């Protein structure tokens, strides 16, 4: 089992059911960490159809992040979570 999972700019492109399934699979994967895109100001109150896009507050999906790495867009980060 890999120690980590990496999912950059993926969860924001998934509809509600697909996003929930992806998060469940990540949490049940046996990995210790996940690194994913995170927008601190996002509310996660919109669910695009799969293939659309919305910013995701990954703290609402994985709990408090362990580390934040700022990306080149304002408010966009890669966040590390312990699973």
């Amino acid at each position: 089992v890999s120690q980590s999972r990496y999912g950059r700019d993926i969860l924001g492109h998934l509809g509600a059911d697909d996003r929930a399934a992806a998060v469940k699979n990540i949490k049940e994967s046996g990995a210790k960490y996940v690194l994913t895109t995170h927008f601190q100001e996002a509310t996660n109150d919109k669910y695009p159809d799969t293939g659309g896009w919305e910013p995701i507050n990954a703290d609402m999906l994985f709990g408090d992040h362990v580390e934040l790495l700022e990306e080149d867009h304002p408010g966009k980060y890669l966040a590390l979570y312990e699973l």
Side-chain angles (χ1 to χ4, degrees):
V1 172
S2 174
Q3 288 293 311
S4 63
R5 295 288 181 256
Y6 173 67
R8 184 174 181 271
D9 290 332
I10 294 172
L11 296 174
H13 288 283
L14 299 177
D17 292 342
D18 290 333
R19 185 181 306 164
V23 169
K24 181 178 184 281
N25 286 340
I26 290 167
K27 288 180 176 180
E28 293 178 353
S29 71
K32 186 170 181 173
Y33 299 98
V34 62
L35 182 68
T36 192
T37 304
H38 170 66
F39 291 85
Q40 292 192 119
E41 303 301 320
T43 59
N44 294 9
D45 60 353
K46 300 176 193 120
Y47 288 93
D49 291 334
T50 294
W53 186 82
E54 74 154 332
I56 295 295
N57 183 327
D59 287 355
M60 294 179 177
L61 303 174
F62 297 106
D64 294 334
H65 53 269
V66 175
E67 189 71 42
L68 279 180
L69 305 169
E70 191 168 5
E71 292 205 46
D72 58 350
H73 299 288
K76 183 179 182 183
Y77 300 86
L78 280 174
L80 181 68
Y81 298 91
E82 189 168 353
L83 298 174

